[in-house]
Amino acid sequence: GYFHGITSLTFGVDIESIRWLGILQRISLGYVIAALCEIWLPCRTRLEITTSVKQYLTWCVALALCIIHSGLLYGLYVSDWQFRLSHSKYSMLSPNNSGIVYTVKCAVHGDLGPACNSAGMIDRYILGVDHLYKKPVYQNLKECSSSDYSHVSGSHPPWCVAPFDPEGILSSLTASVACMIGLHYGHVLVQIEDHKSRLYHWLLCSISLFGLGLLLTYAGIPLNKSLYSISYMLLTSGSAGITFCSIYVLVDIYGYKHLTFVLEWMGIHSLGIFVLVSSNLAVLAIHGFYWKSPNRNIVSLFI
């Protein structure tokens, strides 16, 4: 949030509108829940619980999180709601729309659209509408995009300019389940020594998750990243598991490490790469190199 208004010396973060959640916050929440399952589920005051029972209890917690997610997503009643745009902080709006109060008509149950889903309602009540993500992906939808894709006109629905956090509270529940699935893969790596048995367990879990995700998709639960739907979580987790097994065979079994050195480097420096890209440092650096005129920069050579 520091890289707006650099030339006018207005850069910085406004505490009244700072975004509380985000990708790194979601990762931390998922890690905390997975870590608590790993630490607390074994009952050490009684007889020692075996690892298999411990993993069984972890899967029970994962199932409970999915049930809570689905129950709130489909069961909560979303009433009409309002929001105000102030200080022209939405880049897609013109200054003339500053300070206007918008009303979004809902009065529905189980709506998964961008306007009336319960995930957004929970974030608005708990976090506050001013602390949500200001440029959600649904602003690129056909209903919201103008002909020149530069602003949102008054003829579009009011939810087109409403904040929405794709890393919100409700969707973090199923994202935490993905971390718990990764925890299970780690258990297999630690407890099983031979490659064949490891691959058997990993592939069985991955294919099962992928198949269940497909089944739920065809059953009517859409693939939705912003809501982190159960079908999306299962499909992506299953795909990640299958990819992991492929790399494990290539690198750990057959020893072709030189083919994946780029992926290894990215994994070691993943947080640094994320910060460089998400904070626009990399973008500013690339734009900063030009020939004679700022418009003739490296990006303009390719775009």
PDB file of all heavy atoms in Angstrom, residues 69-76 78 106 108-120 138 141 159 164 170 216-217 219-231:
ATOM      1  N   HIS A  69     -17.980 -24.195   6.948  1.00  0.00           N
ATOM      2  CA  HIS A  69     -17.869 -23.334   5.766  1.00  0.00           C
ATOM      3  C   HIS A  69     -19.120 -23.436   4.900  1.00  0.00           C
ATOM      4  O   HIS A  69     -19.710 -22.417   4.513  1.00  0.00           O
ATOM      5  CB  HIS A  69     -16.627 -23.735   4.969  1.00  0.00           C
ATOM      6  CG  HIS A  69     -16.457 -22.975   3.691  1.00  0.00           C
ATOM      7  ND1 HIS A  69     -17.050 -23.366   2.506  1.00  0.00           N
ATOM      8  CD2 HIS A  69     -15.761 -21.839   3.391  1.00  0.00           C
ATOM      9  CE1 HIS A  69     -16.748 -22.528   1.543  1.00  0.00           C
ATOM     10  NE2 HIS A  69     -15.959 -21.592   2.050  1.00  0.00           N
ATOM     11  N   SER A  70     -19.558 -24.643   4.619  1.00  0.00           N
ATOM     12  CA  SER A  70     -20.738 -24.834   3.765  1.00  0.00           C
ATOM     13  C   SER A  70     -22.004 -24.347   4.457  1.00  0.00           C
ATOM     14  O   SER A  70     -22.877 -23.740   3.823  1.00  0.00           O
ATOM     15  CB  SER A  70     -20.875 -26.309   3.392  1.00  0.00           C
ATOM     16  OG  SER A  70     -19.764 -26.739   2.644  1.00  0.00           O
ATOM     17  N   GLY A  71     -22.113 -24.605   5.759  1.00  0.00           N
ATOM     18  CA  GLY A  71     -23.293 -24.167   6.484  1.00  0.00           C
ATOM     19  C   GLY A  71     -23.454 -22.659   6.493  1.00  0.00           C
ATOM     20  O   GLY A  71     -24.555 -22.135   6.279  1.00  0.00           O
ATOM     21  N   LEU A  72     -22.346 -21.949   6.711  1.00  0.00           N
ATOM     22  CA  LEU A  72     -22.413 -20.488   6.716  1.00  0.00           C
ATOM     23  C   LEU A  72     -22.580 -19.932   5.311  1.00  0.00           C
ATOM     24  O   LEU A  72     -23.296 -18.950   5.102  1.00  0.00           O
ATOM     25  CB  LEU A  72     -21.149 -19.914   7.362  1.00  0.00           C
ATOM     26  CG  LEU A  72     -20.950 -20.226   8.845  1.00  0.00           C
ATOM     27  CD1 LEU A  72     -19.611 -19.668   9.329  1.00  0.00           C
ATOM     28  CD2 LEU A  72     -22.089 -19.658   9.685  1.00  0.00           C
ATOM     29  N   LEU A  73     -21.923 -20.559   4.335  1.00  0.00           N
ATOM     30  CA  LEU A  73     -21.979 -20.050   2.972  1.00  0.00           C
ATOM     31  C   LEU A  73     -23.377 -20.190   2.371  1.00  0.00           C
ATOM     32  O   LEU A  73     -23.853 -19.283   1.675  1.00  0.00           O
ATOM     33  CB  LEU A  73     -20.957 -20.782   2.097  1.00  0.00           C
ATOM     34  CG  LEU A  73     -20.773 -20.268   0.670  1.00  0.00           C
ATOM     35  CD1 LEU A  73     -20.257 -18.838   0.662  1.00  0.00           C
ATOM     36  CD2 LEU A  73     -19.819 -21.171  -0.108  1.00  0.00           C
ATOM     37  N   TYR A  74     -24.030 -21.304   2.652  1.00  0.00           N
ATOM     38  CA  TYR A  74     -25.339 -21.557   2.051  1.00  0.00           C
ATOM     39  C   TYR A  74     -26.502 -21.254   3.000  1.00  0.00           C
ATOM     40  O   TYR A  74     -27.631 -21.081   2.543  1.00  0.00           O
ATOM     41  CB  TYR A  74     -25.429 -23.019   1.600  1.00  0.00           C
ATOM     42  CG  TYR A  74     -24.592 -23.334   0.396  1.00  0.00           C
ATOM     43  CD1 TYR A  74     -23.330 -23.914   0.529  1.00  0.00           C
ATOM     44  CD2 TYR A  74     -25.049 -23.062  -0.884  1.00  0.00           C
ATOM     45  CE1 TYR A  74     -22.553 -24.211  -0.574  1.00  0.00           C
ATOM     46  CE2 TYR A  74     -24.277 -23.358  -2.007  1.00  0.00           C
ATOM     47  CZ  TYR A  74     -23.039 -23.925  -1.840  1.00  0.00           C
ATOM     48  OH  TYR A  74     -22.268 -24.217  -2.944  1.00  0.00           O
ATOM     49  N   GLY A  75     -26.232 -21.197   4.294  1.00  0.00           N
ATOM     50  CA  GLY A  75     -27.329 -21.072   5.247  1.00  0.00           C
ATOM     51  C   GLY A  75     -27.621 -19.675   5.745  1.00  0.00           C
ATOM     52  O   GLY A  75     -28.753 -19.383   6.154  1.00  0.00           O
ATOM     53  N   LEU A  76     -26.621 -18.799   5.743  1.00  0.00           N
ATOM     54  CA  LEU A  76     -26.841 -17.460   6.288  1.00  0.00           C
ATOM     55  C   LEU A  76     -27.728 -16.616   5.368  1.00  0.00           C
ATOM     56  O   LEU A  76     -27.626 -16.700   4.141  1.00  0.00           O
ATOM     57  CB  LEU A  76     -25.505 -16.742   6.495  1.00  0.00           C
ATOM     58  CG  LEU A  76     -24.659 -17.182   7.693  1.00  0.00           C
ATOM     59  CD1 LEU A  76     -23.391 -16.343   7.768  1.00  0.00           C
ATOM     60  CD2 LEU A  76     -25.445 -17.063   8.993  1.00  0.00           C
ATOM     61  N   VAL A  78     -28.555 -13.177   3.797  1.00  0.00           N
ATOM     62  CA  VAL A  78     -27.845 -11.937   3.463  1.00  0.00           C
ATOM     63  C   VAL A  78     -28.883 -10.874   3.133  1.00  0.00           C
ATOM     64  O   VAL A  78     -29.615 -10.987   2.146  1.00  0.00           O
ATOM     65  CB  VAL A  78     -26.893 -12.148   2.262  1.00  0.00           C
ATOM     66  CG1 VAL A  78     -26.148 -10.855   1.953  1.00  0.00           C
ATOM     67  CG2 VAL A  78     -25.912 -13.276   2.547  1.00  0.00           C
ATOM     68  N   CYS A 106     -30.182  -7.559  -1.784  1.00  0.00           N
ATOM     69  CA  CYS A 106     -29.906  -8.987  -1.652  1.00  0.00           C
ATOM     70  C   CYS A 106     -31.137  -9.748  -1.171  1.00  0.00           C
ATOM     71  O   CYS A 106     -31.928 -10.204  -1.970  1.00  0.00           O
ATOM     72  CB  CYS A 106     -28.722  -9.206  -0.694  1.00  0.00           C
ATOM     73  SG  CYS A 106     -27.121  -8.665  -1.354  1.00  0.00           S
ATOM     74  N   VAL A 108     -31.381 -12.768   0.295  1.00  0.00           N
ATOM     75  CA  VAL A 108     -31.339 -14.124  -0.245  1.00  0.00           C
ATOM     76  C   VAL A 108     -30.565 -15.041   0.700  1.00  0.00           C
ATOM     77  O   VAL A 108     -29.853 -14.593   1.595  1.00  0.00           O
ATOM     78  CB  VAL A 108     -30.677 -14.155  -1.638  1.00  0.00           C
ATOM     79  CG1 VAL A 108     -31.529 -13.437  -2.663  1.00  0.00           C
ATOM     80  CG2 VAL A 108     -29.277 -13.553  -1.581  1.00  0.00           C
ATOM     81  N   HIS A 109     -30.725 -16.338   0.477  1.00  0.00           N
ATOM     82  CA  HIS A 109     -29.940 -17.375   1.132  1.00  0.00           C
ATOM     83  C   HIS A 109     -29.067 -18.056   0.083  1.00  0.00           C
ATOM     84  O   HIS A 109     -29.503 -18.302  -1.035  1.00  0.00           O
ATOM     85  CB  HIS A 109     -30.840 -18.433   1.779  1.00  0.00           C
ATOM     86  CG  HIS A 109     -31.522 -17.968   3.024  1.00  0.00           C
ATOM     87  ND1 HIS A 109     -30.929 -18.004   4.270  1.00  0.00           N
ATOM     88  CD2 HIS A 109     -32.763 -17.464   3.221  1.00  0.00           C
ATOM     89  CE1 HIS A 109     -31.772 -17.554   5.174  1.00  0.00           C
ATOM     90  NE2 HIS A 109     -32.896 -17.211   4.558  1.00  0.00           N
ATOM     91  N   GLY A 110     -27.849 -18.391   0.443  1.00  0.00           N
ATOM     92  CA  GLY A 110     -27.019 -19.256  -0.373  1.00  0.00           C
ATOM     93  C   GLY A 110     -26.595 -18.708  -1.712  1.00  0.00           C
ATOM     94  O   GLY A 110     -26.255 -19.484  -2.613  1.00  0.00           O
ATOM     95  N   ASP A 111     -26.590 -17.401  -1.882  1.00  0.00           N
ATOM     96  CA  ASP A 111     -26.131 -16.819  -3.140  1.00  0.00           C
ATOM     97  C   ASP A 111     -24.606 -16.823  -3.168  1.00  0.00           C
ATOM     98  O   ASP A 111     -23.960 -16.418  -2.204  1.00  0.00           O
ATOM     99  CB  ASP A 111     -26.666 -15.391  -3.285  1.00  0.00           C
ATOM    100  CG  ASP A 111     -26.422 -14.821  -4.671  1.00  0.00           C
ATOM    101  OD1 ASP A 111     -25.266 -14.471  -4.962  1.00  0.00           O
ATOM    102  OD2 ASP A 111     -27.375 -14.729  -5.457  1.00  0.00           O
ATOM    103  N   LEU A 112     -24.021 -17.275  -4.278  1.00  0.00           N
ATOM    104  CA  LEU A 112     -22.569 -17.333  -4.412  1.00  0.00           C
ATOM    105  C   LEU A 112     -22.018 -16.267  -5.339  1.00  0.00           C
ATOM    106  O   LEU A 112     -20.831 -16.278  -5.656  1.00  0.00           O
ATOM    107  CB  LEU A 112     -22.138 -18.720  -4.918  1.00  0.00           C
ATOM    108  CG  LEU A 112     -22.544 -19.922  -4.065  1.00  0.00           C
ATOM    109  CD1 LEU A 112     -21.946 -21.190  -4.642  1.00  0.00           C
ATOM    110  CD2 LEU A 112     -22.145 -19.740  -2.613  1.00  0.00           C
ATOM    111  N   GLY A 113     -22.873 -15.347  -5.774  1.00  0.00           N
ATOM    112  CA  GLY A 113     -22.424 -14.273  -6.633  1.00  0.00           C
ATOM    113  C   GLY A 113     -21.624 -13.237  -5.867  1.00  0.00           C
ATOM    114  O   GLY A 113     -21.551 -13.250  -4.635  1.00  0.00           O
ATOM    115  N   PRO A 114     -21.006 -12.299  -6.570  1.00  0.00           N
ATOM    116  CA  PRO A 114     -20.163 -11.295  -5.911  1.00  0.00           C
ATOM    117  C   PRO A 114     -20.920 -10.315  -5.036  1.00  0.00           C
ATOM    118  O   PRO A 114     -20.325  -9.700  -4.147  1.00  0.00           O
ATOM    119  CB  PRO A 114     -19.497 -10.573  -7.087  1.00  0.00           C
ATOM    120  CG  PRO A 114     -20.418 -10.793  -8.236  1.00  0.00           C
ATOM    121  CD  PRO A 114     -21.026 -12.152  -8.029  1.00  0.00           C
ATOM    122  N   ALA A 115     -22.224 -10.161  -5.245  1.00  0.00           N
ATOM    123  CA  ALA A 115     -22.976  -9.136  -4.519  1.00  0.00           C
ATOM    124  C   ALA A 115     -23.512  -9.614  -3.182  1.00  0.00           C
ATOM    125  O   ALA A 115     -23.469  -8.876  -2.190  1.00  0.00           O
ATOM    126  CB  ALA A 115     -24.133  -8.628  -5.392  1.00  0.00           C
ATOM    127  N   CYS A 116     -24.004 -10.835  -3.113  1.00  0.00           N
ATOM    128  CA  CYS A 116     -24.824 -11.251  -1.969  1.00  0.00           C
ATOM    129  C   CYS A 116     -24.345 -12.545  -1.330  1.00  0.00           C
ATOM    130  O   CYS A 116     -25.158 -13.292  -0.768  1.00  0.00           O
ATOM    131  CB  CYS A 116     -26.287 -11.397  -2.402  1.00  0.00           C
ATOM    132  SG  CYS A 116     -27.008  -9.880  -3.069  1.00  0.00           S
ATOM    133  N   ASN A 117     -23.082 -12.856  -1.395  1.00  0.00           N
ATOM    134  CA  ASN A 117     -22.611 -14.057  -0.716  1.00  0.00           C
ATOM    135  C   ASN A 117     -22.369 -13.774   0.761  1.00  0.00           C
ATOM    136  O   ASN A 117     -22.049 -12.650   1.158  1.00  0.00           O
ATOM    137  CB  ASN A 117     -21.343 -14.596  -1.383  1.00  0.00           C
ATOM    138  CG  ASN A 117     -20.202 -13.604  -1.350  1.00  0.00           C
ATOM    139  OD1 ASN A 117     -19.541 -13.428  -0.340  1.00  0.00           O
ATOM    140  ND2 ASN A 117     -19.960 -12.925  -2.479  1.00  0.00           N
ATOM    141  N   SER A 118     -22.535 -14.793   1.571  1.00  0.00           N
ATOM    142  CA  SER A 118     -22.407 -14.627   3.020  1.00  0.00           C
ATOM    143  C   SER A 118     -20.961 -14.405   3.454  1.00  0.00           C
ATOM    144  O   SER A 118     -20.719 -13.856   4.532  1.00  0.00           O
ATOM    145  CB  SER A 118     -22.985 -15.846   3.735  1.00  0.00           C
ATOM    146  OG  SER A 118     -22.322 -17.027   3.330  1.00  0.00           O
ATOM    147  N   ALA A 119     -19.988 -14.830   2.636  1.00  0.00           N
ATOM    148  CA  ALA A 119     -18.585 -14.592   2.983  1.00  0.00           C
ATOM    149  C   ALA A 119     -18.298 -13.097   3.060  1.00  0.00           C
ATOM    150  O   ALA A 119     -17.636 -12.617   3.987  1.00  0.00           O
ATOM    151  CB  ALA A 119     -17.670 -15.255   1.958  1.00  0.00           C
ATOM    152  N   GLY A 120     -18.796 -12.346   2.076  1.00  0.00           N
ATOM    153  CA  GLY A 120     -18.625 -10.901   2.109  1.00  0.00           C
ATOM    154  C   GLY A 120     -19.362 -10.269   3.265  1.00  0.00           C
ATOM    155  O   GLY A 120     -18.879  -9.307   3.880  1.00  0.00           O
ATOM    156  N   TYR A 138     -13.845  -9.486  -9.453  1.00  0.00           N
ATOM    157  CA  TYR A 138     -15.114  -9.425 -10.183  1.00  0.00           C
ATOM    158  C   TYR A 138     -15.343  -8.062 -10.840  1.00  0.00           C
ATOM    159  O   TYR A 138     -16.269  -7.915 -11.628  1.00  0.00           O
ATOM    160  CB  TYR A 138     -16.291  -9.787  -9.272  1.00  0.00           C
ATOM    161  CG  TYR A 138     -16.501  -8.897  -8.068  1.00  0.00           C
ATOM    162  CD1 TYR A 138     -16.946  -7.592  -8.203  1.00  0.00           C
ATOM    163  CD2 TYR A 138     -16.300  -9.374  -6.781  1.00  0.00           C
ATOM    164  CE1 TYR A 138     -17.159  -6.788  -7.109  1.00  0.00           C
ATOM    165  CE2 TYR A 138     -16.516  -8.574  -5.671  1.00  0.00           C
ATOM    166  CZ  TYR A 138     -16.940  -7.286  -5.834  1.00  0.00           C
ATOM    167  OH  TYR A 138     -17.157  -6.489  -4.754  1.00  0.00           O
ATOM    168  N   LEU A 141     -15.535  -8.406 -14.530  1.00  0.00           N
ATOM    169  CA  LEU A 141     -16.651  -9.078 -15.179  1.00  0.00           C
ATOM    170  C   LEU A 141     -17.302  -8.176 -16.219  1.00  0.00           C
ATOM    171  O   LEU A 141     -17.179  -6.951 -16.176  1.00  0.00           O
ATOM    172  CB  LEU A 141     -17.693  -9.506 -14.138  1.00  0.00           C
ATOM    173  CG  LEU A 141     -17.258 -10.578 -13.138  1.00  0.00           C
ATOM    174  CD1 LEU A 141     -18.353 -10.798 -12.107  1.00  0.00           C
ATOM    175  CD2 LEU A 141     -16.932 -11.871 -13.858  1.00  0.00           C
ATOM    176  N   TRP A 159     -22.620  -3.222  -6.730  1.00  0.00           N
ATOM    177  CA  TRP A 159     -21.620  -4.116  -6.155  1.00  0.00           C
ATOM    178  C   TRP A 159     -20.325  -4.127  -6.964  1.00  0.00           C
ATOM    179  O   TRP A 159     -19.300  -4.623  -6.482  1.00  0.00           O
ATOM    180  CB  TRP A 159     -22.173  -5.535  -6.033  1.00  0.00           C
ATOM    181  CG  TRP A 159     -22.744  -6.139  -7.285  1.00  0.00           C
ATOM    182  CD1 TRP A 159     -24.043  -6.180  -7.651  1.00  0.00           C
ATOM    183  CD2 TRP A 159     -22.008  -6.784  -8.335  1.00  0.00           C
ATOM    184  NE1 TRP A 159     -24.183  -6.811  -8.870  1.00  0.00           N
ATOM    185  CE2 TRP A 159     -22.948  -7.206  -9.311  1.00  0.00           C
ATOM    186  CE3 TRP A 159     -20.660  -7.070  -8.546  1.00  0.00           C
ATOM    187  CZ2 TRP A 159     -22.581  -7.873 -10.472  1.00  0.00           C
ATOM    188  CZ3 TRP A 159     -20.291  -7.731  -9.711  1.00  0.00           C
ATOM    189  CH2 TRP A 159     -21.245  -8.128 -10.651  1.00  0.00           C
ATOM    190  N   PHE A 164     -14.361  -6.247  -1.566  1.00  0.00           N
ATOM    191  CA  PHE A 164     -14.568  -7.657  -1.222  1.00  0.00           C
ATOM    192  C   PHE A 164     -13.205  -8.299  -1.046  1.00  0.00           C
ATOM    193  O   PHE A 164     -12.294  -8.094  -1.863  1.00  0.00           O
ATOM    194  CB  PHE A 164     -15.348  -8.387  -2.326  1.00  0.00           C
ATOM    195  CG  PHE A 164     -15.530  -9.856  -2.048  1.00  0.00           C
ATOM    196  CD1 PHE A 164     -16.540 -10.286  -1.207  1.00  0.00           C
ATOM    197  CD2 PHE A 164     -14.687 -10.790  -2.622  1.00  0.00           C
ATOM    198  CE1 PHE A 164     -16.699 -11.641  -0.944  1.00  0.00           C
ATOM    199  CE2 PHE A 164     -14.838 -12.143  -2.361  1.00  0.00           C
ATOM    200  CZ  PHE A 164     -15.852 -12.566  -1.521  1.00  0.00           C
ATOM    201  N   LEU A 170     -14.309 -16.429   6.122  1.00  0.00           N
ATOM    202  CA  LEU A 170     -14.974 -17.693   5.831  1.00  0.00           C
ATOM    203  C   LEU A 170     -14.140 -18.565   4.899  1.00  0.00           C
ATOM    204  O   LEU A 170     -13.986 -19.770   5.127  1.00  0.00           O
ATOM    205  CB  LEU A 170     -16.355 -17.430   5.224  1.00  0.00           C
ATOM    206  CG  LEU A 170     -17.235 -18.652   4.987  1.00  0.00           C
ATOM    207  CD1 LEU A 170     -17.478 -19.394   6.295  1.00  0.00           C
ATOM    208  CD2 LEU A 170     -18.548 -18.257   4.342  1.00  0.00           C
ATOM    209  N   LEU A 216     -18.135 -33.057  -6.570  1.00  0.00           N
ATOM    210  CA  LEU A 216     -18.847 -31.930  -5.978  1.00  0.00           C
ATOM    211  C   LEU A 216     -19.088 -30.826  -7.003  1.00  0.00           C
ATOM    212  O   LEU A 216     -20.114 -30.133  -6.944  1.00  0.00           O
ATOM    213  CB  LEU A 216     -18.051 -31.385  -4.786  1.00  0.00           C
ATOM    214  CG  LEU A 216     -17.939 -32.304  -3.565  1.00  0.00           C
ATOM    215  CD1 LEU A 216     -17.086 -31.655  -2.489  1.00  0.00           C
ATOM    216  CD2 LEU A 216     -19.312 -32.658  -3.023  1.00  0.00           C
ATOM    217  N   THR A 217     -18.150 -30.662  -7.932  1.00  0.00           N
ATOM    218  CA  THR A 217     -18.341 -29.652  -8.974  1.00  0.00           C
ATOM    219  C   THR A 217     -19.551 -29.986  -9.838  1.00  0.00           C
ATOM    220  O   THR A 217     -20.399 -29.130 -10.120  1.00  0.00           O
ATOM    221  CB  THR A 217     -17.085 -29.542  -9.845  1.00  0.00           C
ATOM    222  OG1 THR A 217     -15.967 -29.210  -9.020  1.00  0.00           O
ATOM    223  CG2 THR A 217     -17.259 -28.467 -10.903  1.00  0.00           C
ATOM    224  N   ALA A 219     -21.940 -31.805  -8.932  1.00  0.00           N
ATOM    225  CA  ALA A 219     -23.119 -31.829  -8.075  1.00  0.00           C
ATOM    226  C   ALA A 219     -23.686 -30.437  -7.820  1.00  0.00           C
ATOM    227  O   ALA A 219     -24.761 -30.317  -7.237  1.00  0.00           O
ATOM    228  CB  ALA A 219     -22.795 -32.514  -6.747  1.00  0.00           C
ATOM    229  N   GLY A 220     -22.949 -29.399  -8.223  1.00  0.00           N
ATOM    230  CA  GLY A 220     -23.486 -28.052  -8.098  1.00  0.00           C
ATOM    231  C   GLY A 220     -22.687 -27.105  -7.242  1.00  0.00           C
ATOM    232  O   GLY A 220     -23.066 -25.939  -7.086  1.00  0.00           O
ATOM    233  N   ILE A 221     -21.566 -27.568  -6.661  1.00  0.00           N
ATOM    234  CA  ILE A 221     -20.700 -26.670  -5.895  1.00  0.00           C
ATOM    235  C   ILE A 221     -19.633 -26.138  -6.838  1.00  0.00           C
ATOM    236  O   ILE A 221     -18.715 -26.869  -7.238  1.00  0.00           O
ATOM    237  CB  ILE A 221     -20.055 -27.396  -4.703  1.00  0.00           C
ATOM    238  CG1 ILE A 221     -21.136 -27.914  -3.763  1.00  0.00           C
ATOM    239  CG2 ILE A 221     -19.104 -26.460  -3.951  1.00  0.00           C
ATOM    240  CD1 ILE A 221     -20.587 -28.676  -2.575  1.00  0.00           C
ATOM    241  N   PRO A 222     -19.716 -24.884  -7.246  1.00  0.00           N
ATOM    242  CA  PRO A 222     -18.833 -24.387  -8.313  1.00  0.00           C
ATOM    243  C   PRO A 222     -17.393 -24.216  -7.850  1.00  0.00           C
ATOM    244  O   PRO A 222     -17.111 -24.090  -6.653  1.00  0.00           O
ATOM    245  CB  PRO A 222     -19.457 -23.031  -8.669  1.00  0.00           C
ATOM    246  CG  PRO A 222     -20.116 -22.586  -7.404  1.00  0.00           C
ATOM    247  CD  PRO A 222     -20.618 -23.834  -6.735  1.00  0.00           C
ATOM    248  N   LEU A 223     -16.493 -24.228  -8.816  1.00  0.00           N
ATOM    249  CA  LEU A 223     -15.092 -23.898  -8.545  1.00  0.00           C
ATOM    250  C   LEU A 223     -14.976 -22.392  -8.396  1.00  0.00           C
ATOM    251  O   LEU A 223     -15.128 -21.650  -9.361  1.00  0.00           O
ATOM    252  CB  LEU A 223     -14.200 -24.386  -9.683  1.00  0.00           C
ATOM    253  CG  LEU A 223     -14.113 -25.895  -9.901  1.00  0.00           C
ATOM    254  CD1 LEU A 223     -13.300 -26.188 -11.148  1.00  0.00           C
ATOM    255  CD2 LEU A 223     -13.510 -26.579  -8.695  1.00  0.00           C
ATOM    256  N   ASN A 224     -14.715 -21.928  -7.201  1.00  0.00           N
ATOM    257  CA  ASN A 224     -14.685 -20.497  -6.932  1.00  0.00           C
ATOM    258  C   ASN A 224     -13.505 -20.195  -6.032  1.00  0.00           C
ATOM    259  O   ASN A 224     -13.511 -20.559  -4.841  1.00  0.00           O
ATOM    260  CB  ASN A 224     -15.997 -20.051  -6.273  1.00  0.00           C
ATOM    261  CG  ASN A 224     -16.140 -18.542  -6.248  1.00  0.00           C
ATOM    262  OD1 ASN A 224     -15.222 -17.825  -5.885  1.00  0.00           O
ATOM    263  ND2 ASN A 224     -17.307 -18.057  -6.634  1.00  0.00           N
ATOM    264  N   LYS A 225     -12.486 -19.547  -6.585  1.00  0.00           N
ATOM    265  CA  LYS A 225     -11.289 -19.230  -5.800  1.00  0.00           C
ATOM    266  C   LYS A 225     -11.556 -18.139  -4.773  1.00  0.00           C
ATOM    267  O   LYS A 225     -11.042 -18.183  -3.660  1.00  0.00           O
ATOM    268  CB  LYS A 225     -10.157 -18.815  -6.723  1.00  0.00           C
ATOM    269  CG  LYS A 225      -8.856 -18.492  -6.003  1.00  0.00           C
ATOM    270  CD  LYS A 225      -7.775 -18.069  -6.965  1.00  0.00           C
ATOM    271  CE  LYS A 225      -6.461 -17.825  -6.226  1.00  0.00           C
ATOM    272  NZ  LYS A 225      -6.570 -16.679  -5.287  1.00  0.00           N
ATOM    273  N   SER A 226     -12.347 -17.132  -5.136  1.00  0.00           N
ATOM    274  CA  SER A 226     -12.601 -16.029  -4.216  1.00  0.00           C
ATOM    275  C   SER A 226     -13.325 -16.494  -2.960  1.00  0.00           C
ATOM    276  O   SER A 226     -13.075 -15.975  -1.867  1.00  0.00           O
ATOM    277  CB  SER A 226     -13.417 -14.939  -4.923  1.00  0.00           C
ATOM    278  OG  SER A 226     -12.690 -14.378  -5.996  1.00  0.00           O
ATOM    279  N   LEU A 227     -14.228 -17.457  -3.104  1.00  0.00           N
ATOM    280  CA  LEU A 227     -14.923 -18.026  -1.952  1.00  0.00           C
ATOM    281  C   LEU A 227     -14.202 -19.256  -1.415  1.00  0.00           C
ATOM    282  O   LEU A 227     -14.593 -19.791  -0.376  1.00  0.00           O
ATOM    283  CB  LEU A 227     -16.355 -18.409  -2.335  1.00  0.00           C
ATOM    284  CG  LEU A 227     -17.261 -17.254  -2.780  1.00  0.00           C
ATOM    285  CD1 LEU A 227     -18.627 -17.786  -3.169  1.00  0.00           C
ATOM    286  CD2 LEU A 227     -17.388 -16.210  -1.681  1.00  0.00           C
ATOM    287  N   TYR A 228     -13.183 -19.709  -2.111  1.00  0.00           N
ATOM    288  CA  TYR A 228     -12.413 -20.910  -1.765  1.00  0.00           C
ATOM    289  C   TYR A 228     -13.373 -22.061  -1.457  1.00  0.00           C
ATOM    290  O   TYR A 228     -13.347 -22.653  -0.364  1.00  0.00           O
ATOM    291  CB  TYR A 228     -11.479 -20.666  -0.577  1.00  0.00           C
ATOM    292  CG  TYR A 228     -10.110 -21.272  -0.766  1.00  0.00           C
ATOM    293  CD1 TYR A 228      -9.039 -20.504  -1.205  1.00  0.00           C
ATOM    294  CD2 TYR A 228      -9.898 -22.616  -0.526  1.00  0.00           C
ATOM    295  CE1 TYR A 228      -7.778 -21.065  -1.386  1.00  0.00           C
ATOM    296  CE2 TYR A 228      -8.647 -23.186  -0.701  1.00  0.00           C
ATOM    297  CZ  TYR A 228      -7.598 -22.402  -1.129  1.00  0.00           C
ATOM    298  OH  TYR A 228      -6.346 -22.972  -1.306  1.00  0.00           O
ATOM    299  N   SER A 229     -14.221 -22.343  -2.415  1.00  0.00           N
ATOM    300  CA  SER A 229     -15.234 -23.375  -2.257  1.00  0.00           C
ATOM    301  C   SER A 229     -14.583 -24.732  -2.004  1.00  0.00           C
ATOM    302  O   SER A 229     -13.405 -24.951  -2.312  1.00  0.00           O
ATOM    303  CB  SER A 229     -16.124 -23.442  -3.493  1.00  0.00           C
ATOM    304  OG  SER A 229     -15.363 -23.773  -4.640  1.00  0.00           O
ATOM    305  N   ILE A 230     -15.359 -25.651  -1.452  1.00  0.00           N
ATOM    306  CA  ILE A 230     -14.834 -26.966  -1.119  1.00  0.00           C
ATOM    307  C   ILE A 230     -14.343 -27.681  -2.370  1.00  0.00           C
ATOM    308  O   ILE A 230     -13.287 -28.335  -2.359  1.00  0.00           O
ATOM    309  CB  ILE A 230     -15.909 -27.789  -0.394  1.00  0.00           C
ATOM    310  CG1 ILE A 230     -16.223 -27.153   0.964  1.00  0.00           C
ATOM    311  CG2 ILE A 230     -15.454 -29.230  -0.199  1.00  0.00           C
ATOM    312  CD1 ILE A 230     -17.286 -27.886   1.742  1.00  0.00           C
ATOM    313  N   SER A 231     -15.096 -27.564  -3.455  1.00  0.00           N
ATOM    314  CA  SER A 231     -14.664 -28.210  -4.699  1.00  0.00           C
ATOM    315  C   SER A 231     -13.347 -27.630  -5.192  1.00  0.00           C
ATOM    316  O   SER A 231     -12.472 -28.366  -5.673  1.00  0.00           O
ATOM    317  CB  SER A 231     -15.751 -28.054  -5.763  1.00  0.00           C
ATOM    318  OG  SER A 231     -16.040 -26.679  -5.998  1.00  0.00           O
TER     319      SER A 231
END
